Amino acid sequence: MKRFPLAVLAFGYAFLYLPIATVIAYSFNESRLVTVWSGFSTKWWSALFANEAMIDAALLSLRIAFVNACAATVLGTLAGIALARHPRFAGRSIFVALVIAPLVMPEVIMGVSMLLLFVGLERHIGWPERGFATIAIAHITFSMAYVAVVVQARLADFDRSLEEAAMDLGARPFAVFRSITLPLIAPALVSGWLLAFTLSLDDLILTQFVSGAASQTLPMAVYSSVRLGLNPQINVIATIVIAISTVGLVASALLLRRKRRA
Amino acid sequence: MAARPSDPTRLARAAIVGPPFAWLLLFFLAPFAIVAAISFGQNAPDAAPPVAMTGTARNYAFLLSDALYVDAYLSSLRIAAIATVLTLLIGYPMAYAIAMAAPSRRPILLMLVILPFWTSFLIRIYAWRGLLSEHGLINALLRAMDISGDPGTILGSEWAIYLGIVYAYLPFMVLPLYAALEKLDRSLLEAAADLGARPWRAFLSITLPLSLPGVIAGCLLVFIPAVGEFVIPDLLGGTETLMIGKVLWDEFFTNSDWPLASAVAVLMLLALLAPIALYQRLRAREFGGS
């Protein structure tokens, strides 16, 4: 590689990774201060695992992330198939707009509007109570858009000839889906599931709007702690989250690559 | 394929399109109608929910006449625009360098760009809170280089917000740029070189125009969410920098004025309508269909 691109990449990746590296490093710092290094210690790790409020928040976040990832994968996959394989149906342009909009819509706008919907629904039909359900619904609504884009991109890599051949040979639509479409998009499903899981685990703004007083997710706990000041326990959480998402991304990238070659 | 779709095919299509369509209509589109309606209501602190449906435009009149809110709108648009340009200036060379790398290296280089996006947004902003604080690493470096005596504190300044936006949204800029640059036909550049064009000239007249869709998509992906950004101005910015996302948040959570917060949301959405529509058109073209 020439010298210029190499320098650009070195600068770019240093910019992206140095802040993350310092967060990880300071999770092993002795001092309470997150800006001064005073020696190696794992005391903040023990402190975090003894911090019940944080652990509870993390468990709630993991449960929501799991439910969200499963539901968003189902809905997002259907949406992705609709985008890639159904070029004509009534209301398609509205449908496309609705799938794309959550990708760029500022979260504060989505947060207020969803909360007002939930409050209205609760008043008129008594459901949903604010908490787990409303947080999950909000997360599903925006993470299904990401799944849809991943699935759509995967389907766009393959033309429709296989599916059409099966139809011409008389296969019923569901049989075509199960034996051809589903195996084609399987890696995208795993990748989309992992992405939806990560997005949910990380969401602060929507969650803050739609959660009731009783439920606190991990990002909410982290945010209120960060507002009070820098805290090495947050560095420990950061390190764990970074480790989990790295494993998730590497796994999904390897999966997508292997299947594409096969 | 002039034949009418058979019944099982139509049924299958309804089964595929129906659930996500219904979900998005109920949980994404309907809420906007409710926000619009409530923005014409009034705060009713004693009621639960604290809204009285009075049907006045008072919230809008108030927002548009109060200098504080108008400033917050304008500075949000300005900060998002400047940050978008800065992100482009850093993201374009990166995307270009990745697209020019050996094909075998590109997947890993791309993955390194995507990885931070998978890593918690909140935590990445938290990282800068430490780095930019008065005794943080950046100030230590500036002091060591002794550029201008006391560097002051970057945390709390508008620069910290720019930095936060560039850092957090860089992957959104690099990915569409890379997608556009990767598709570029290299033989065009070779032809230009053969005809005696200098590399800089070839870049300006071939590479840049052909990567324009990627530039536009990347800029929109950064600009639109950055206008409504809350976490970055809240954790990195100071009290004197107002951004509209933070104003909305405070109206809602601190003042519990839901109708006013709704009106702020409606005005923000109106300001973003054109860029969102443009982004929609770019993406919809990608998805094909009629």
Side-chain angles (χ1 to χ4, degrees):
Chain A
M1 211 184 291
K2 285 184 195 137
R3 229 179 311 161
F4 172 70
L6 207 61
V8 166
L9 290 178
F11 169 79
Y13 290 119
F15 177 58
L16 283 175
Y17 285 96
L18 279 180
I20 297 177
T22 58
V23 168
I24 296 176
Y26 278 110
S27 76
F28 296 103
N29 191 11
E30 242 249 89
S31 158
R32 219 203 128 70
L33 296 169
V34 196
T35 47
V36 183
W37 181 260
S38 62
F40 182 86
S41 157
T42 54
K43 69 180 178 194
W44 303 113
W45 286 73
S46 342
L48 176 74
F49 289 114
N51 184 340
E52 269 179 43
M54 269 309 172
I55 300 290
D56 284 348
L59 289 176
L60 176 65
S61 277
L62 287 171
R63 277 164 50 218
I64 293 173
F66 181 80
V67 170
N68 162 68
C70 296
T73 302
V74 172
L75 287 168
T77 301
L78 292 176
I81 295 173
L83 289 177
R85 291 293 192 256
H86 295 272
R88 267 178 293 277
F89 57 84
R92 178 173 156 112
S93 53
I94 300 172
F95 178 76
V96 173
L98 287 178
V99 174
I100 299 170
L103 299 174
V104 287
M105 188 63 66
E107 271 193 80
V108 285
I109 300 182
M110 277 178 81
V112 182
S113 45
M114 281 192 166
L115 173 73
L116 294 176
L117 172 80
F118 292 144
V119 170
L121 280 178
E122 197 185 0
R123 265 187 86 192
H124 290 108
I125 62 170
W127 181 89
E129 206 176 315
R130 265 182 280 164
F132 192 104
T134 51
I135 300 174
I137 291 172
H139 288 189
I140 292 164
T141 307
F142 84 92
S143 52
M144 69 183 271
Y146 285 88
V147 178
V149 170
V150 173
V151 170
Q152 186 274 337
R154 176 77 181 178
L155 277 172
D157 282 353
F158 300 95
D159 64 24
R160 305 185 58 164
S161 52
L162 273 177
E163 283 139 307
E164 272 163 7
M167 298 276 247
D168 289 347
L169 294 171
R172 315 269 299 171
F174 185 70
V176 175
F177 176 76
R178 207 190 45 211
S179 53
I180 297 176
T181 315
L182 203 56
L184 276 185
I185 58 176
L189 295 193
V190 178
S191 174
W193 192 94
L194 289 167
L195 182 57
F197 188 88
T198 321
L199 287 169
S200 166
L201 204 58
D202 181 37
D203 181 77
L204 167 70
I205 297 173
L206 268 183
T207 315
Q208 188 91 40
F209 275 101
V210 302
S211 68
S215 16
Q216 195 183 38
T217 64
L218 187 63
M220 287 162 78
V222 168
Y223 172 70
S224 51
S225 162
V226 169
R227 290 218 66 184
L228 294 175
L230 300 162
N231 174 348
Q233 283 189 35
I234 301 299
N235 293 58
V236 177
I237 296 174
T239 306
I240 297 171
V241 169
I242 291 164
I244 293 175
S245 45
T246 307
V247 170
L249 175 65
V250 171
S252 87
L254 288 178
L255 202 71
L256 275 172
R257 253 179 98 186
R258 203 181 55 203
K259 289 280 170 120
R260 202 164 295 200
R261 272 195 204 140
Chain B
M1 293 280 283
R4 278 173 59 99
S6 56
D7 276 348
T9 318
R10 283 167 75 176
L11 212 70
R13 195 171 63 194
I16 288 170
V17 176
F21 208 166
W23 182 282
L24 289 167
L25 284 174
L26 176 60
F27 293 118
F28 188 74
L29 192 61
F32 289 123
I34 299 177
V35 169
I38 297 220
S39 70
F40 290 100
Q42 249 176 289
N43 192 20
D46 299 326
V51 175
M53 289 311 299
T54 47
T56 66
R58 273 180 30 183
N59 293 318
Y60 291 99
F62 174 63
L63 288 176
L64 295 174
S65 61
D66 192 305
L68 184 103
Y69 293 97
V70 176
D71 274 0
Y73 268 105
L74 295 179
S75 66
S76 298
L77 293 172
R78 177 177 51 85
I79 289 173
I82 294 174
T84 302
V85 172
L86 293 174
T87 315
L88 178 64
L89 290 178
I90 296 178
Y92 199 101
M94 268 189 94
Y96 187 82
I98 297 173
M100 293 301 138
S104 61
R105 278 193 204 144
R106 282 181 216 158
I108 180 93
L109 290 173
L110 262 189
M111 209 168 83
L112 284 171
V113 172
I114 302 171
L115 183 59
F117 164 65
W118 280 58
T119 309
S120 168
F121 184 86
L122 187 56
I123 280 164
R124 281 181 293 142
I125 299 306
Y126 168 77
W128 281 102
R129 220 171 133 90
L131 287 172
L132 295 177
S133 63
E134 204 194 331
H135 299 288
L137 220 54
I138 302 286
N139 265 7
L141 272 176
L142 290 176
R143 280 201 196 94
M145 291 191 291
D146 196 25
I147 297 175
S148 60
D150 183 26
T153 310
I154 304 168
L155 191 68
S157 71
E158 215 164 282
W159 282 104
I161 300 181
Y162 295 139
L163 193 63
I165 295 177
V166 172
Y167 183 68
Y169 288 95
L170 190 59
F172 293 97
M173 181 65 85
V174 173
L175 292 180
L177 282 174
Y178 168 79
L181 288 167
E182 191 212 11
K183 275 186 281 188
L184 194 89
D185 188 351
R186 302 287 169 80
S187 57
L188 289 175
L189 292 175
E190 283 160 23
D194 289 346
L195 294 171
R198 299 184 165 249
W200 187 239
R201 177 84 202 279
F203 174 81
L204 282 182
S205 52
I206 296 171
T207 312
L208 193 59
L210 286 175
S211 64
L212 214 55
V215 173
I216 297 172
C219 286
L220 292 171
L221 272 174
V222 177
F223 178 77
I224 301 168
V227 169
E229 186 53 56
F230 164 74
V231 172
I232 294 173
D234 187 58
L235 291 183
L236 300 183
T239 43
E240 75 276 16
T241 312
L242 278 172
M243 283 187 77
I244 202 66
K246 194 166 152 43
V247 168
L248 193 158
W249 181 281
D250 289 339
E251 283 309 334
F252 194 88
F253 288 107
T254 315
N255 302 342
S256 299
D257 193 335
W258 293 16
L260 190 63
S262 301
V264 173
V266 170
L267 287 180
M268 196 197 307
L269 199 56
L270 283 179
L272 292 176
L273 221 47
I276 291 177
L278 183 59
Y279 180 71
Q280 295 263 10
R281 272 189 56 190
L282 278 176
R283 284 313 286 256
R285 203 177 306 157
E286 225 171 275
F287 295 151
S290 53

